[in-house]
Amino acid sequence: MTMRDELNTFLDGLKQQRDELKLQAHLASAELKKEWEKLEAQFGTLEQKVAQANREAGKTADNVAAAAKLAGEEIAKGYQRIRKLMKS
């Protein structure tokens, strides 16, 4: 699997988590909503980076893809924090 494929698969997984959490967010506390808004901004940036990585070629694409993956990992951690807040 190429880095591009891995990145797109990772983004698809984040989208699924995002959709699941979005359905539950309307019942959330103010703290959770603030965290959600922050993650939404980061998610938009991540989508742009993935699109850029898909357009770029060679070493540049690998650098962009690596940066996008790091951003995605941060978003995934944020989704985990939201899940914990929802359970408490």
Side-chain angles (χ1 to χ4, degrees):
M1 182 180 274
T2 67
M3 177 67 128
R4 181 183 295 174
D5 292 337
E6 287 180 33
L7 191 57
N8 286 321
T9 299
F10 184 68
L11 182 62
D12 289 342
L14 282 178
K15 283 180 181 179
Q16 182 178 353
Q17 288 182 53
R18 178 180 179 234
D19 291 343
E20 291 169 3
L21 289 170
K22 192 174 185 179
L23 290 174
Q24 299 171 12
H26 70 281
L27 301 174
S29 68
E31 178 184 356
L32 192 144
K33 287 180 183 177
K34 183 177 179 182
E35 179 73 15
W36 179 259
E37 289 170 4
K38 177 180 142 192
L39 290 171
E40 280 295 284
Q42 290 177 338
F43 192 87
T45 300
L46 174 62
E47 284 186 311
Q48 291 173 357
K49 286 181 181 181
V50 170
Q52 180 182 0
N54 286 331
R55 288 188 306 267
E56 300 288 334
K59 187 175 181 179
T60 301
D62 290 342
N63 291 340
V64 172
K69 186 163 174 106
L70 286 174
E73 289 169 353
E74 285 299 313
I75 292 169
K77 288 177 187 176
Y79 288 163
Q80 290 174 349
R81 287 191 302 271
I82 286 177
R83 279 197 174 86
K84 287 179 184 177
L85 287 170
M86 290 178 131
K87 289 180 182 180
S88 54

